[in-house]
Amino acid sequence: MPDHDPAKRAVALRKELQHHAHLYYTLDAPQIPDAEYDKLFQELQAIEAAHPDLVTPDSPTQRVIGAVLEGLAPVRHAVPMLSIHTETDTTPAGAEKFDARVRKALALADDAPPLAYHAELKFDGLAINLRYERGELVQAATRGDGETGEDVTHTVRMIATVPKRLRGAAALAAAVIDVRGEVFMRRDDFEALNERQRKLIEGGAKGEKTFVNPRNAAAGVVRQLDAGKAAKRPLSFFAYALGEVVGWDVPGTQHALAAAFRRMGLPVNDDSRVEHGAEGLIRFHREIAAKRDALPFDIDGVVYKLDDRAQQEQLGFKSREPRWAVAHKYPAQEQTTRLVDIDVQVGRTGKLTPVAKLQPVFVGGTTVSNATLHNQDEIDRKDVRIGDTVIVRRAGDVIPEVVGSIIEKRPPDAQPFDLYQRLGGKCPVCGSEITREEGEVDWRCSGGLFCPAQRKQAILHFAGRRAMDVEGLGDKLVDQLVDAGIVRTLPELYKLGVANLAALERMADKSAQNLVDGLEKSKQTTLARFLYALGIRHVGETTAKDLARHFGQLDRVLGASEPQLLEVSDVGPIVAHSIHTFFAQPHNREIVEQLRACGITWKEDDGTADNAPKPLLGQTFVLTGTLPTLSRDEAKDRIEAAGGKVSGSVSKKTSVVVAGAEAGSKLDKATELGITVIDEAALLALLPEPPAVPT
Ligand code: IVH
């Protein structure tokens, strides 16, 4: 219970804030989300505002916290690195308040024209000062406490996009240009890094850890003492401000500064722009909010800066924060809440997923009461226990997950969770034994299609858009069909009639007819779709297409030995074994035969498998943005039919990026890596005529 005596509470808050600041800044291992820290900080600010006599010089509200880590040399900033005032009102009113404050401070009349602001993203990384002398990068330093930071030149030099030498005569002539900006880690780079770290830990490597979020990973990498290690952990950088400048004419506006940075070869984010008045700022805040989750990196808000430097100077600073800039936050994507219990869900392939039951919490724009815990290993690694206060993350469309526990808040009766023990070794849905294969992290229900949970999901997968594409069959209906015992096997779907469907609760004749029509229509398909629809473990869409192309006929796939399966491009031993085992089960054969007997057909190849021309063999494509005529699926199908591969992300292995309207970060990455970028017209020119039957 918080103390009601403001003096005592202020002391407690300061102690707590200092502790968390140490964990965050010095150890890069925060135990509470930023939003929680902000809450405590604001509570202290409010107490100090109401009782100015309680303010102490060492209060976290009075100085920039942070400390120099042993091992990195201290660097005194020629011009202190400041912070910006944070507007925590995440509604448009936040922008209005700032604009009103600035107009008042400039003593503008009510009818004076709207002010020009430079609106930028607030990158969630760490602030860095890059010191350029005569255009050469001579030093990179962290912010530290604002006065003194740490020398991180060795790691920052490893960042590919940070120029070692600036471009342009003016920059090369300047005695000093301190460029300030944010070092951060892209989300895809973060995932890849954590994946590598997990493998190292599994392999028994000592002293390795995974990171809770990209910001902490970036901070960890920048302050890494071993530059070689840092080089393997890709960081990114955006420039946004200046420190000391000697011998260079500083541009008169923030937007001209951004342009000058670009000309010097410094990376500047493309989303920043000039906006006018509160109205313009609100528009920017809203637009960026809409694309926040699609950005390749984390942001926690936007920053508004008065564009004109003369006006900035007129406003000056208030307690170490510029009056001419503000950070306007977005709702946090991480929150803390209590883990009430852990449930276990059964997936399509029998995979048992532990799911956290949470005290409902508002995070990432919605109320979350369930979040995935992935598997037992993750629970153990994160040391999450029932009763713990946990950090929940929900970003965009990604399913919410439990990031970790706050150990300090652990109640004495918190219960460790052991999936096997909890379930008594039995599937919670069908009671079959649960198993975990050597080297696997997941426990599975061994019930197969006997298990209603697996059956439901197998049916949904079978009917899915990229599988048999049965229109009118959603999850509610599948629940009903399976629970009522009407559909037990896939072929039974095709025996459904309007009469027995219409008898179901909430089922109108029309929807019954729609489903029957949808089922009928789905019978005309392709071998690849059919193979994918069967839901064989490790056989995704691409493998299904490879199999169809290689064997041409279903019977050849059914009869293939493991060595023969291994001849298919990209089929390795695990996949080959899985396919072979699947078709070796008499009940699976039976299902396949029954489905064929229901009238499911496709055009079988005459024996030479796929003999269409393969001009794109060996090339990997990435699609980004909206193409003028082809849908994503069509473009993917056409490229694959021509022998090419389609991947979701740009890497050094990408051959060509096909970009349409509003192409985003993938295009940036392609440009960065020097990969060929083409438009739809150029893609069509590479493709042979489309086949008469869909592939
Ligand atoms: S400008 C005098 N611009 O936010 C203003 N800061 O509390 C100097 N940040 O430490 C900062 N994106 O790490 C500025 N576009 C942006 C930013 C930004 C992120 C961070 C930076 C700074 C903190 C301010």
Side-chain angles (χ1 to χ4, degrees):
M1 207 38 231
D3 207 305
H4 288 299
D5 174 353
K8 281 195 195 147
R9 181 66 185 149
V11 170
L13 282 168
R14 262 174 223 138
K15 213 172 138 203
E16 197 169 352
L17 285 164
Q18 261 147 8
H19 171 66
H20 287 298
H22 175 72
L23 291 170
Y24 183 91
Y25 288 104
T26 310
L27 303 179
D28 297 325
Q31 292 182 346
I32 58 173
D34 293 0
E36 188 98 342
Y37 182 88
D38 288 349
K39 246 187 271 165
L40 297 172
F41 192 87
Q42 281 153 22
E43 191 188 339
L44 179 60
Q45 266 182 328
I47 295 176
E48 290 177 347
H51 310 275
D53 53 309
L54 292 181
V55 179
T56 58
D58 70 338
S59 174
T61 59
Q62 302 303 299
R63 58 197 184 93
V64 188
I65 322 179
V68 176
L69 189 82
E70 258 178 288
L72 294 171
V75 174
R76 191 155 177 90
H77 300 300
V79 173
M81 288 183 80
L82 306 168
S83 61
I84 347 178
H85 180 73
T86 305
E87 179 54 71
T88 44
D89 182 340
T90 59
T91 71
E96 279 161 6
K97 278 188 230 164
F98 170 64
D99 181 55
R101 251 195 336 264
V102 172
R103 291 181 72 90
K104 188 164 167 231
L106 289 172
L108 292 183
D110 286 350
D111 57 356
L115 286 166
Y117 294 102
H118 197 245
E120 305 174 6
L121 305 188
K122 186 173 188 309
F123 313 105
D124 202 5
L126 66 158
I128 292 283
N129 186 75
L130 303 178
R131 191 167 181 87
Y132 287 93
E133 290 177 5
R134 308 258 166 231
E136 300 290 338
L137 175 64
V138 295
Q139 187 177 61
T142 62
R143 184 168 76 161
D145 66 2
E147 301 284 342
T148 306
E150 297 152 337
D151 189 329
V152 288
T153 317
H154 62 299
T155 51
V156 171
R157 287 185 74 89
M158 299 296 157
I159 304 176
T161 56
V162 168
K164 313 293 171 286
R165 174 171 233 243
L166 297 177
R167 284 204 298 255
L172 296 177
V176 178
I177 303 180
D178 272 347
V179 174
R180 288 178 179 174
E182 201 84 351
V183 167
F184 60 95
M185 191 176 282
R186 292 168 53 105
R187 287 199 274 256
D188 51 358
D189 289 332
F190 166 73
E191 296 300 339
L193 169 61
N194 260 358
E195 187 56 41
R196 281 205 310 275
Q197 291 301 102
R198 272 192 285 274
K199 291 221 172 94
L200 283 177
I201 297 165
E202 273 165 33
K206 290 273 168 295
E208 296 292 345
K209 60 167 191 169
T210 55
F211 298 91
V212 289
N213 57 38
R215 201 215 80 91
N216 289 103
V221 175
V222 163
R223 300 163 82 202
Q224 164 68 249
L225 295 171
D226 175 354
K229 217 166 179 179
K232 291 190 216 106
R233 301 172 170 189
L235 293 173
S236 306
F237 176 79
F238 283 132
Y240 52 62
L242 287 172
E244 189 184 25
V245 174
V246 180
W248 182 60
D249 273 337
V250 178
T253 60
Q254 194 67 37
H255 77 269
L257 174 63
F261 279 158
R262 278 199 187 89
R263 284 196 301 273
M264 292 177 186
L266 288 157
V268 176
N269 177 251
D270 282 331
D271 280 309
S272 46
R273 60 171 189 246
V274 174
E275 287 284 3
H276 291 90
E279 215 175 289
L281 299 181
I282 292 168
R283 178 174 49 232
F284 184 78
H285 189 258
R286 190 178 50 229
E287 268 178 40
I288 300 300
K291 65 190 275 190
R292 178 184 186 188
D293 298 326
L295 292 170
F297 46 80
D298 284 353
I299 59 169
D300 56 350
V302 288
V303 176
Y304 311 133
K305 299 172 184 174
L306 198 51
D307 196 38
D308 187 274
R309 201 157 53 88
Q311 286 178 332
Q312 289 180 1
E313 276 160 15
Q314 202 183 327
L315 284 186
F317 297 83
K318 181 193 166 194
S319 64
R320 326 208 39 180
E321 289 172 352
R323 280 203 188 82
W324 45 267
V326 79
H328 194 187
K329 292 264 210 165
Y330 286 125
Q333 290 178 321
E334 283 184 9
Q335 281 297 354
T336 56
T337 188
R338 219 176 74 86
L339 176 72
V340 180
D341 199 3
I342 298 177
D343 255 10
V344 180
Q345 271 174 14
V346 188
R348 172 169 68 81
T349 56
K351 176 177 158 181
L352 299 167
T353 304
V355 177
K357 300 279 134 186
L358 307 166
Q359 209 157 58
V361 62
F362 193 75
V363 52
T366 50
T367 302
V368 168
S369 40
N370 297 312
T372 183
L373 282 159
H374 302 290
N375 55 54
Q376 183 72 52
D377 284 9
E378 286 284 291
I379 296 178
D380 297 344
R381 190 175 62 73
K382 294 172 181 163
D383 187 20
V384 172
R385 302 187 190 176
I386 297 168
D388 271 355
T389 297
V390 292
I391 301 172
V392 181
R393 180 176 170 85
R394 180 187 180 274
D397 299 333
V398 183
I399 42 171
E401 65 163 349
V402 173
V403 180
S405 280
I406 300 173
I407 307 292
E408 297 164 315
K409 292 200 181 171
R410 170 165 293 163
D413 60 347
Q415 287 296 317
F417 178 83
D418 182 279
L419 188 142
Y420 188 87
Q421 256 177 18
R422 165 66 78 100
L423 299 180
K426 305 259 182 269
C427 168
V429 175
C430 72
S432 299
E433 224 172 278
I434 67 169
T435 57
R436 172 153 75 168
E437 273 169 44
E438 180 81 29
E440 290 238 338
V441 289
D442 296 313
W443 284 95
R444 287 175 191 280
C445 158
S446 62
L449 291 181
F450 166 77
C451 175
Q454 291 189 55
R455 205 181 297 156
K456 284 176 187 175
Q457 286 173 84
I459 294 171
L460 281 171
H461 171 81
F462 179 83
R465 200 170 53 86
R466 310 240 357 138
M468 297 299 287
D469 194 17
V470 180
E471 266 171 55
L473 190 61
D475 50 358
K476 294 270 172 339
L477 184 50
V478 170
D479 279 352
Q480 281 185 298
L481 291 170
V482 172
D483 291 341
I486 300 175
V487 174
R488 278 157 307 162
T489 64
L490 294 173
E492 281 178 356
L493 270 179
Y494 289 94
K495 309 245 154 57
L496 290 171
V498 176
N500 58 358
L501 276 172
L504 290 172
E505 221 181 300
R506 287 194 305 265
M507 181 62 128
D509 284 357
K510 189 159 174 300
S511 356
Q513 187 60 53
N514 283 347
L515 175 56
V516 171
D517 292 348
L519 284 161
E520 194 54 39
K521 211 172 110 202
S522 73
K523 288 181 182 171
Q524 184 61 50
T525 187
T526 65
L527 176 55
R529 280 175 176 272
F530 182 76
L531 287 170
Y532 173 58
L534 291 175
I536 306 165
R537 240 184 114 196
H538 303 302
V539 178
E541 245 189 294
T542 311
T543 307
K545 283 179 185 166
D546 288 342
L547 289 168
R549 220 168 279 144
H550 184 92
F551 291 105
Q553 295 180 5
L554 179 60
D555 289 326
R556 291 213 193 113
V557 185
L558 295 180
S561 64
E562 281 187 42
Q564 283 167 336
L565 287 162
L566 279 169
E567 284 167 24
V568 181
S569 69
D570 282 339
V571 168
I574 295 177
V575 183
H577 181 70
S578 168
I579 299 168
H580 190 257
T581 316
F582 183 91
F583 289 122
Q585 312 299 312
H587 62 269
N588 287 335
R589 290 273 186 157
E590 174 98 22
I591 298 259
V592 169
E593 289 320 320
Q594 286 176 6
L595 286 169
R596 279 210 275 202
C598 292
I600 293 175
T601 59
W602 54 86
K603 198 176 143 257
E604 295 245 64
D605 202 278
D606 53 11
T608 47
D610 182 2
N611 50 13
K614 298 273 170 287
L616 305 185
L617 213 61
Q619 297 192 50
T620 303
F621 287 71
V622 171
L623 302 166
T624 177
T626 315
L627 301 179
T629 68
L630 294 175
S631 72
R632 273 283 165 101
D633 285 350
E634 281 164 350
K636 183 166 188 266
D637 286 344
R638 297 274 305 268
I639 291 169
E640 287 175 350
K645 282 218 173 68
V646 177
S647 157
S649 58
V650 178
S651 72
K652 285 189 208 98
K653 290 189 199 134
T654 310
S655 330
V656 178
V657 169
V658 185
E662 317 238 327
S665 57
K666 292 180 194 171
L667 182 55
D668 299 343
K669 184 117 193 222
T671 322
E672 202 178 294
L673 296 174
I675 290 160
T676 311
V677 178
I678 62 171
D679 62 5
E680 185 192 272
L683 171 67
L684 289 170
L686 294 176
L687 295 168
E689 282 299 299
V693 230
T695 50

